[in-house]
Amino acid sequence: MWQARTIIHNGRAIPFEDARIHPLALGVAFGIAVFEGLRAYRHPTTGAFTVFRLDEHLARLGQGMKVLRLADPPPLDVLRQAVLDVIRLNEPDDDAYLRVQVQIEGMGMMATTGPVGWIAAALPRERSTKFATGLAAQVSSWTRLPDNAMPPRVKASANYHAGRLATLQAKADGYDSAILLTQRGKVSEAAAACLFLVRDGVLATPSRSSDILESITRETVITLARELGLPFEEREVDRTELYVADEVFLCGTGQELVPVTSVDRLPVGSGTPGAITQRLQAAYEGVVRGTTDAHPEWRTPV
């Protein structure tokens, strides 16, 4: 597997291992940072790289910087160019996971809004080992963050602490992943991925008001499902629907599309990845990698 060797920090390309900010910078001390995870996919025939839905990711990052009231944030066009540059600088020979992060790099008080710095990085990241066989998930005793406390639609670094606690619990209890409920007891999402289920041939996903991240991968799956003619609904989802669903899968930039084959040790459907999940996996793989002509506007050439 290729290795990351260069990172772009505040517009300057430096050796990956030389990246530094002070340990008392507010980005570290209070987690005052927003980020985007993206993927650059390598075409299996041409070897060319494209970044999947780059502009949509940057637009969401801009919303996060606004909500966190970061002072003098970097322009999105500067970050866009940095993403393309950092891929070329690292010369990957396979898919790359990308991270663009904007943080407060100075010290100060809780309400300090700057100075703001940023990084763009390209890293190797293997696909989930459960991509084909499916995950064992646990409904966590930890609940999802509510919008009026730490808004989940903002992809803030600090928000991931809640998902980390749920994941640690799930793994300690012998599961692969955790599913979190809202404070109202409705299904929200997994610790770092959105969730879909299939009941009676209908694909469903928790609504935006279910304290979810407004996931770009989720929106991609919804679009692909409609184009495939799959019945679809966006609504509140009950916990017990996970137990009686025919199929469940998670999706996100990091996860891509991964089946869930059991929840709380109850098999989902037959206990194997379902036909609709596999159909959407194939459609997603084609569109992100560029082996189909569908949605060329989603792929930015490197």
Side-chain angles (χ1 to χ4, degrees):
M1 183 179 291
W2 66 277
Q3 297 295 314
R5 63 189 189 193
T6 303
I7 189 170
I8 296 177
H9 185 194
N10 294 336
R12 187 165 66 95
I14 60 175
F16 187 84
E17 63 274 12
D18 288 350
R20 299 285 187 276
I21 63 172
H22 196 281
L24 290 179
L26 296 186
V28 177
F30 293 126
I32 303 176
V34 288
F35 74 97
E36 287 294 322
L38 310 92
R39 280 189 185 264
Y41 286 92
R42 187 173 184 265
H43 193 282
T45 303
T46 67
F49 283 87
T50 55
V51 181
F52 189 63
R53 306 204 71 170
L54 172 58
D55 293 325
E56 291 89 340
H57 278 281
L58 292 176
R60 185 173 63 183
L61 184 67
Q63 293 172 2
M65 291 189 290
K66 176 183 179 181
V67 175
L68 263 63
R69 300 176 184 265
L70 299 184
D72 194 23
L76 296 184
D77 60 340
V78 170
L79 298 178
R80 188 181 196 277
Q81 188 60 50
V83 169
L84 302 177
D85 289 343
V86 81
I87 299 168
R88 287 190 288 262
L89 288 167
N90 281 281
E91 298 181 338
D93 59 9
D94 204 347
D95 298 350
Y97 180 79
L98 313 170
R99 186 174 176 111
V100 183
Q101 181 172 297
V102 182
Q103 63 272 330
I104 297 182
E105 295 194 345
M107 293 178 277
M109 306 302 289
M110 181 75 73
T112 299
T113 58
V116 170
W118 59 272
I119 60 98
L123 305 160
R125 180 165 177 169
E126 292 183 330
R127 174 167 281 171
S128 169
T129 57
K130 301 299 180 72
F131 182 83
T133 58
L135 298 163
Q138 175 190 56
V139 177
S140 182
S141 60
W142 296 94
T143 55
R144 183 66 173 145
L145 300 165
D147 184 66
N148 63 351
M150 295 177 68
R153 64 171 40 86
V154 176
K155 199 170 175 69
S157 299
N159 285 0
Y160 282 74
H161 187 63
R164 181 176 183 272
L165 290 171
T167 300
L168 289 170
Q169 176 195 4
K171 290 187 177 297
D173 292 343
Y175 297 88
D176 300 312
S177 186
I179 296 170
L180 291 96
L181 306 180
T182 69
Q183 292 185 331
R184 303 186 311 278
K186 303 296 183 179
V187 175
S188 178
E189 60 178 36
C194 282
L195 180 145
F196 285 80
L197 72 154
V198 178
R199 288 197 67 191
D200 302 321
V202 178
L203 184 69
T205 191
S207 63
R208 292 187 181 192
S209 59
S210 297
D211 294 332
I212 65 168
L213 174 71
E214 293 182 349
S215 162
I216 291 159
T217 308
R218 173 182 176 276
E219 192 273 327
T220 299
V221 171
I222 291 171
T223 299
L224 295 176
R226 285 173 171 154
E227 291 173 352
L228 290 170
L230 298 174
F232 168 76
E233 52 191 20
E234 190 176 359
R235 59 174 175 80
E236 286 193 332
V237 173
D238 291 328
R239 173 179 181 161
T240 51
E241 289 191 83
L242 300 172
Y243 302 151
V244 300
D246 302 312
E247 302 179 36
V248 176
F249 66 87
L250 308 181
C251 73
T253 297
Q255 296 268 13
E256 299 175 292
L257 268 71
V258 183
V260 174
T261 49
S262 70
V263 178
D264 290 346
R265 308 202 193 284
L266 294 172
V268 174
S270 65
T272 59
I276 290 176
T277 299
Q278 292 174 323
R279 192 176 176 191
L280 286 166
Q281 277 183 318
Y284 186 79
E285 180 75 4
V287 79
V288 299
R289 205 166 291 283
T291 55
T292 173
D293 293 332
H295 296 289
E297 73 279 6
W298 286 350
R299 299 183 293 271
T300 300
V302 180

